[in-house]
Amino acid sequence: MSDDVDVVVVGAGYAGLTAASDLVSAGASVRVLEASGRVGGRALSVDTAAGSTVDLGGQWVGSQHTELRSLAARKGVEVFPSYDIGRQTVMADGRPISRLSRTAAGAIAGLARLSLAIRFGRGLSDDRLLSDWLTGVRPAQARRVLDVVLAELTCCSASDISMATVADMFTGAGGVREMLTVKDGAQDALLSRGAGGLAEAMAADLDGVIELNARVADVERSSDGVTVHTDDAAIRAKRVVIAVAPPAAERIAHRPGLSPARQSMQRNLRMGAVYKAVAAYEEPFWRDDRCDGQLLVLDGPIRSAFDVSPPGGPGHICVLVPGPAARQLDALDEKTRREAVLEAVADHFGERAKMPLSFHEKAWHHDEFARGGYLGMPTPGHLAQVRAERARPLGRVHWAGTETSDRFNGYFEGAIRSGKRAAAEVLAAL
């Protein structure tokens, strides 16, 4: 039986779209199979009542995200700087915490200690939980600040992640300062058409290659090729690139079965929980009151909020709620949840924040295809295994996705780099 295509790519997120683009550019015939009804994966942009576009998935462009910036430039998508006037306000019990307080000093000292531990490799066992490390941070409110900050980055409870994994995350992203900084850091800029808009621009160049609503059920390997089965078709190819998060890839059956190491790796990467909301206004009115655009909240229904408005308006306020706090919001009905979120936002941005033109939300841990956010995190004790297996090809099966990237793991930058790596592997083997 002749092959239908040279390569099947499973997943139309940034990794899959990048791999497909590189393969097509090199002359390979490609079919992209996407289980959902859209492209973008963990990038999702929606239109607001203000006539603007906002991201309900990943959104930021880091200062070191060279591949993402290059991609945006090629597709004609403008990158604009994040609003970064003033310093982040930290609130507890409805009041801002003074930057001269013991809490602030303790939190800064804790971050410095974490940065030094990562730099010199001290106390970073894969068997030591982040929650255990946090017990050494004083005073208690400073410990709570770091707990919230680190949950924002991992979408996990501190008791579900090891110190080795935390260190690996920071190292791959450029360091503690890089991950926590807006200007010249990981939150340096945003995309004018949204991350979802950039994914759609990538997909437009793959016209006729992408098939939506095509859930892959199993992959059959043989000595002379692979057969990828969906609910409606069987597609023959020389190679396959699976470019979805490992926890989602676990639903794909393989014949013959995956290696025990690969199966164990997929079981021991778990997606975090995260809720995101964006409220749109005619203008960023809070700037008139010299209100800074970054908020961290230690209690209540939300954990952080950011001014992500484009130059010249309209106004956009982005809210992130990670980990256990995200699951607590699940208990609220839509109306009550919206009121609670906007009430918390208004405590900092002003009463007008309660009356947006439109309000948009997404709980990624309820997404049947992403299965959580921002990425799959290794369970304690399994980091070495995950690092060894996450990108290792299995015969004619190759793996992509931000989880498989050594650098910028968890960012779109990592996804793009993984797609390029997987495409290069395939081209070398064809």
Side-chain angles (χ1 to χ4, degrees), residues 216-221 242 249-258:
V216 172
D218 66 80
V219 174
E220 183 179 1
R221 308 188 307 279
I242 297 181
E250 197 176 6
R251 293 181 295 188
I252 300 173
H254 290 260
R255 293 179 285 162
L258 296 175

Side-chain angles (χ1 to χ4, degrees), residues 217-306:
D218 66 80
V219 174
E220 183 179 1
R221 308 188 307 279
S222 67
S223 60
D224 61 348
V226 295
T227 304
V228 179
H229 296 267
T230 69
D231 293 338
D232 302 316
I235 305 162
R236 285 275 305 173
K238 295 182 176 70
R239 300 267 161 173
V240 60
V241 176
I242 297 181
V244 298
E250 197 176 6
R251 293 181 295 188
I252 300 173
H254 290 260
R255 293 179 285 162
L258 296 175
S259 67
R262 180 75 201 184
Q263 292 181 54
S264 178
M265 187 278 291
Q266 290 185 165
R267 285 195 304 270
N268 287 294
L269 265 181
R270 300 195 183 158
M271 303 298 288
V274 62
Y275 166 91
K276 183 175 183 180
V278 183
Y281 307 85
E282 288 186 0
E283 59 183 1
F285 57 85
W286 51 90
R287 296 181 185 177
D288 295 338
D289 298 327
R290 299 185 181 277
C291 173
D292 63 76
Q294 303 171 52
L295 173 66
L296 190 74
V297 186
L298 304 189
D299 44 45
I302 74 170
R303 290 295 173 265
S304 65
F306 303 86

Side-chain angles (χ1 to χ4, degrees), residues 44-48 52-56 193-194 196-197 200 278 316 359-361:
L44 174 61
S45 299
V46 298
D47 295 330
T48 75
S52 55
T53 299
V54 295
D55 284 306
L56 290 182
R193 290 165 54 185
E200 290 170 359
V278 183
H316 297 161
F359 180 84
H360 312 269
E361 62 178 0

